[in-house]
Amino acid sequence: MLVVNIEVWPWGREERKYKIGEITAGNIAGGRISSYEVRVQQAAYEPEDVPAINEEFLLRDHDRRDGALALIRDALLIAVPPIEESSGEAGAGTGSTSKEG
């Protein structure tokens, strides 16, 4: 089972940390290509209009060779609705870069 705790550390101080979410993924089908029972939870944060998330679902056909981070990514792609971009902010915060030929 994979358990990921999501914490905020205000001002980078561990003694001030608090948990805002958790992802759990339990393998229910063996082999290289597996299925997982997944639960994604996140507390709401009203000042920033961040909604609470409490999703449970079956993630099928995950290639275990891709590793734990790929499993986390796939779970978040299912559980977290995409953020609609407003005009003038396209691509902000995506971390993507463009490459020219």
Side-chain angles (χ1 to χ4, degrees):
M1 175 172 274
L2 173 70
V3 177
V4 178
N5 288 312
I6 302 129
E7 299 176 339
V8 173
W9 291 24
W11 304 286
R13 309 270 308 265
E14 184 177 7
E15 66 273 10
R16 294 179 167 256
K17 71 180 179 182
Y18 60 95
K19 183 176 170 180
I20 62 168
E22 180 178 272
I23 301 169
T24 60
N27 186 341
I28 60 170
R32 185 176 60 84
I33 306 298
S34 295
S35 294
Y36 291 81
E37 287 183 345
V38 177
R39 184 171 165 201
V40 178
Q41 293 180 293
Q42 171 184 285
Y45 185 63
E46 303 291 330
E48 297 293 330
D49 293 328
V50 175
I53 298 171
N54 190 12
E55 297 288 332
E56 294 184 31
F57 52 89
L58 185 63
L59 192 152
R60 297 180 189 271
D61 302 328
H62 175 74
D63 189 336
R64 295 177 71 182
R65 295 179 301 177
D66 291 342
L69 292 179
L71 180 59
I72 294 166
R73 177 202 60 215
D74 294 346
L76 290 173
L77 286 171
I78 293 170
V80 180
I83 298 172
E84 293 182 25
E85 295 178 4
S86 60
S87 61
E89 296 180 14
T94 63
S96 63
T97 58
S98 66
K99 294 180 182 178
E100 293 184 26

